[in-house]
Amino acid sequence: MSDLTLVALVVLPAVVGVLLLLIGSGADRSAAPVGVGTAALLAAASFAVSFPAISRPSVATPFMAGADLGLGVDGLAALVLPAVAVVSALVLLAASGTPALRTARFYGLMLLFVAAALMTVLATTLPTLLMSWEVMGATSFALVGYHWRDQETISSGTTAFLTTRTADVGLYVAAGAALAGGAGLGLAALPNASGGWRDVIAAGLVVAGLGKAAQLPFSFWLSRAMLGPSPVSALLHSAAMVAMGGYLLLRVAPTLGATGWADDAAAWAGAATAVLLGMVALAQRDLKQLLAASTAAQLGFVVLAAGVGATAGGATHLVAHAAVKAGLFLAAGIWLEALGTKRLSSLTGAARLWPVVGACAAAALLSLAGLPPLALWATKDAVLAAAAEQSPTLYVAGLVGAALSAAYATKALVVLTRGLPDDAESRYDDERDGTRAVPGPAWVPLLPLAAEALLLGVLALPPVFTDVRELAGGASQEPSTLELVTSAMLAVVVIVATVAVMRGVQGRRFAWPRVLRDWLLLEPLAHRSVVRPVEVLAHRLAHLDDAVLDRGVEATAGGTVRLARTVALLDDRLIDGAVAGIVSGVRRVGGLARRPQTGQLHQYYLQALAVLALVLVVLVLVR
């Protein structure tokens, strides 16, 4: 029964999603209830397979020689799977409050994406992971570009798709190296690959994980993806897609550790992203851009956890961050729909307009700031405790990232909770016409998400963390009292300082450096260092194709035509002439042979007598 439930977690949303897409607009009226109902079933099933009464399920079926398609629930998957399923259900419920999204196409794509995300969590082999990775990439492109008539949206979706696809090549490289290294394609067996092949596997996995998790240097695609619908942002950039990049690195942490260098590379990439993207988040003037940059920075802690082997700490931070960020993206979407803007300067005091929405967003922002005892305070320290064991520098970098978290979360909180300005109404509708209303399905999901943002920190605190560590495995260190107190004091000091600075600069325009406002200029750098050289190479190859290959083909074709004409001429004049001459000669011989055939008996006798005389002459001469 558990095995069937495990398979249903992937098959059910995939089948329902495909049916909605095939039926199309004819299913628009029923799409939202069908989508939300399916997601609710998935949420219930995720708890059933993650915490069964007997043993966790695992299924596999042959796919190709030496490789199975495998699904299974281990301790790490048991922690993450319910979070993905629950957030998916809440986001789909919230999306039903937006009329433009109550379509079969939207819910079909969302369910297909959810199926791919759940399959990623449950994958036990590389072929399974590659399949889910592909579907997740394709559906995310379709969802980010959901409003496909807007060329800017399509361009942004394409940028996000191509950037993540570039990093995804690493996963294929890892699969090839796993086969060459004799380890097979099971994720658990990858550390057993021989010699240099293990290094290639680890390098491919690190690149794929960093790309999907929007870590440096791939972070800029997350900024472009913010043009998608807010419920899409709430799911893709909280519990799925971006989170799956961090989850992949947690899953393969033993492989990274076996190389002796890949774990350090991941740890430093995560720490650098937590610090630099934290600074980027602080400089943003758009709420969704701030949340996007903070997502990359928070996933930096998860990637850092994978690098230092803190699997349990990384998993708890992943789960808590999913709830926090899903709630914040949904709140940003509510204000965008109601007020027609997501610019922070236009959203001044927006939290006061709809108190429930404002209170839930405030709870999530305080958790994001690391204020004790809220969720991200303790989960972050569960990661930093392991980092401190390996490198004091990594620990300090993590603290800097935590301080920046407190700063950018407080910045957003102060703006949203200020008193409404007198000219508030004139600041709205700068991006679209706001509805000035918040339907029930849009804000109800904020309540459980806010509760999780407040309470999930218990997963990283004793004694619960001891059980979590045994469940997820790895080398997670339990944060000490000193570390917890230090990070708590740091968060409080930064929050107070940020509030003071915000009050001091209120009414004045502060110009952040462009390099921070424009996401470290990563996209222009990518264009200059990758896109432009590829375009130049493509143009030169096209010129080579035109000037050399095409001309060679054209010259060969021309020569062939000329040769054919010459052969045709020879055929007409020589062969056909010879045939005609032979035919004419045969005809003349035939005419000559016909002349003696007169039908007169005496002439035949004369001819016979002549022949007989000729024979006698020959016999006389021969003798």
Side-chain angles (χ1 to χ4, degrees):
M1 185 62 184
S2 295
D3 291 350
L4 288 177
T5 307
L6 180 66
V7 175
L9 274 169
V10 176
V11 173
L12 177 63
V15 170
V16 176
V18 169
L19 286 176
L20 286 175
L21 291 173
L22 290 177
I23 297 173
S25 57
D28 281 352
R29 295 186 64 180
S30 58
V34 168
V36 174
T38 304
L41 288 175
L42 296 177
S46 69
F47 282 100
V49 300
S50 298
F51 304 101
I54 304 176
S55 62
R56 295 192 180 89
S58 176
V59 295
T61 184
F63 174 63
M64 51 187 270
D68 292 341
L69 289 178
L71 299 174
V73 182
D74 61 2
L76 178 59
L79 283 172
V80 176
L81 186 67
V84 176
V86 169
V87 169
S88 299
L90 293 173
V91 168
L92 287 176
L93 175 60
S96 67
T98 304
L101 301 181
R102 288 198 292 263
T103 66
R105 180 164 68 93
F106 179 78
Y107 277 91
L109 289 171
M110 287 289 269
L111 286 175
L112 270 180
F113 179 85
V114 170
L118 295 176
M119 191 172 175
T120 300
V121 174
L122 298 171
T124 57
T125 65
L126 276 171
T128 314
L129 188 61
L130 283 167
M131 284 187 182
S132 62
W133 217 251
E134 290 293 336
V135 176
M136 194 159 53
T139 50
S140 66
F141 169 71
L143 287 167
V144 171
Y146 180 75
H147 300 299
W148 54 272
R149 289 184 176 85
D150 184 349
Q151 284 302 313
E152 188 178 4
T153 299
I154 294 298
S155 173
S156 297
T158 303
T159 298
F161 179 71
L162 291 179
T163 306
T164 54
R165 294 300 297 156
T166 302
D168 289 349
V169 173
L171 208 53
Y172 286 92
V173 171
L179 286 175
L185 295 177
L187 293 177
L190 294 180
N192 301 326
S194 60
W197 291 116
R198 187 169 54 205
D199 294 326
V200 177
I201 294 169
L205 292 172
V206 168
V207 171
L210 294 182
K212 197 68 83 180
Q215 299 296 285
L216 292 173
F218 303 102
S219 310
F220 62 92
W221 72 260
L222 194 54
S223 170
R224 297 296 296 271
M226 288 302 106
L227 287 183
S230 293
V232 172
S233 302
L235 178 59
L236 271 63
H237 312 315
S238 62
M241 182 81 170
V242 179
M244 289 301 103
Y247 176 80
L248 171 65
L249 295 178
L250 289 174
R251 166 69 65 199
V252 299
T255 305
L256 306 185
T259 64
W261 60 268
D263 51 350
D264 291 337
W268 282 107
T273 304
V275 173
L276 292 176
L277 268 296
M279 296 169 68
V280 169
L282 195 55
Q284 297 307 304
R285 299 169 179 168
D286 179 291
L287 179 57
K288 284 189 72 175
Q289 289 293 323
L290 184 152
L291 296 178
S294 78
T295 295
Q298 293 298 318
L299 262 293
F301 288 102
V302 178
V303 175
L304 169 61
V308 299
T311 307
T316 57
H317 194 71
L318 193 71
V319 170
H321 174 259
V324 169
K325 201 53 63 72
L328 287 173
F329 273 120
L330 289 179
I334 287 172
W335 288 319
L336 179 59
E337 285 295 320
L339 303 178
T341 183
K342 49 188 172 58
R343 287 194 309 158
L344 280 170
S345 59
S346 301
L347 290 174
T348 301
R352 297 171 179 266
L353 293 173
W354 293 277
V356 174
V357 177
C360 292
L365 284 169
L366 289 173
S367 182
L368 185 62
L371 187 70
L374 308 186
L376 292 182
W377 162 65
T379 58
K380 198 179 303 171
D381 279 339
V383 175
L384 296 183
E389 288 291 319
Q390 291 208 6
S391 166
T393 309
L394 272 178
Y395 178 67
V396 172
L399 283 181
V400 173
L404 288 165
S405 303
Y408 58 67
T410 305
K411 171 187 172 181
L413 182 64
V414 169
V415 171
L416 293 170
T417 56
R418 274 176 179 161
L420 278 169
D422 296 336
D423 61 345
E425 189 65 27
S426 65
R427 302 184 184 190
Y428 301 150
D429 305 324
D430 58 351
E431 297 180 51
R432 65 180 68 171
D433 292 333
T435 62
R436 304 295 189 272
V438 178
W443 63 263
V444 166
L446 295 182
L447 297 173
L449 290 171
E452 293 176 16
L454 296 175
L455 302 174
L456 281 179
V458 70
L459 293 173
L461 292 173
V464 178
F465 189 66
T466 303
D467 297 331
V468 171
R469 191 170 49 187
E470 291 179 359
L471 187 65
S476 295
Q477 301 294 318
E478 194 171 286
S480 66
T481 303
L482 177 61
E483 289 167 338
L484 289 169
V485 171
T486 300
S487 70
M489 291 179 62
L490 179 66
V492 171
V493 169
V494 173
I495 289 171
V496 172
T498 305
V499 170
V501 171
M502 294 284 290
R503 286 181 177 173
V505 300
Q506 186 173 3
R508 288 184 290 173
R509 191 177 182 82
F510 182 80
W512 289 93
R514 184 186 167 218
V515 68
L516 294 180
R517 285 187 282 112
D518 291 349
W519 287 64
L520 308 177
L521 302 175
L522 289 172
E523 187 170 352
L525 286 174
H527 274 273
R528 196 171 304 165
S529 60
V530 178
V531 177
R532 185 59 185 155
V534 169
E535 286 180 342
V536 170
L537 178 61
H539 282 301
R540 288 181 178 174
L541 289 175
H543 180 70
L544 177 67
D545 180 61
D546 293 340
V548 179
L549 299 180
D550 278 5
R551 287 185 181 180
V553 172
E554 289 173 357
T556 303
T560 303
V561 170
R562 286 191 294 273
L563 178 61
R565 286 173 179 169
T566 302
V567 171
L569 188 62
L570 290 174
D571 179 63
D572 292 341
R573 294 185 177 179
L574 294 181
I575 298 177
D576 285 0
V579 170
I582 291 171
V583 170
S584 177
V586 170
R587 184 179 295 117
R588 283 195 296 271
V589 171
L592 291 174
R594 193 171 59 247
R595 285 183 180 179
Q597 310 301 321
T598 63
Q600 301 295 321
L601 189 60
H602 66 281
Q603 290 181 347
Y604 286 133
Y605 282 129
L606 285 175
Q607 291 172 19
L609 184 60
V611 171
L612 181 60
L614 182 61
V615 170
L616 289 175
V617 171
V618 172
L619 288 174
V620 171
L621 292 176
V622 172
R623 292 180 66 184

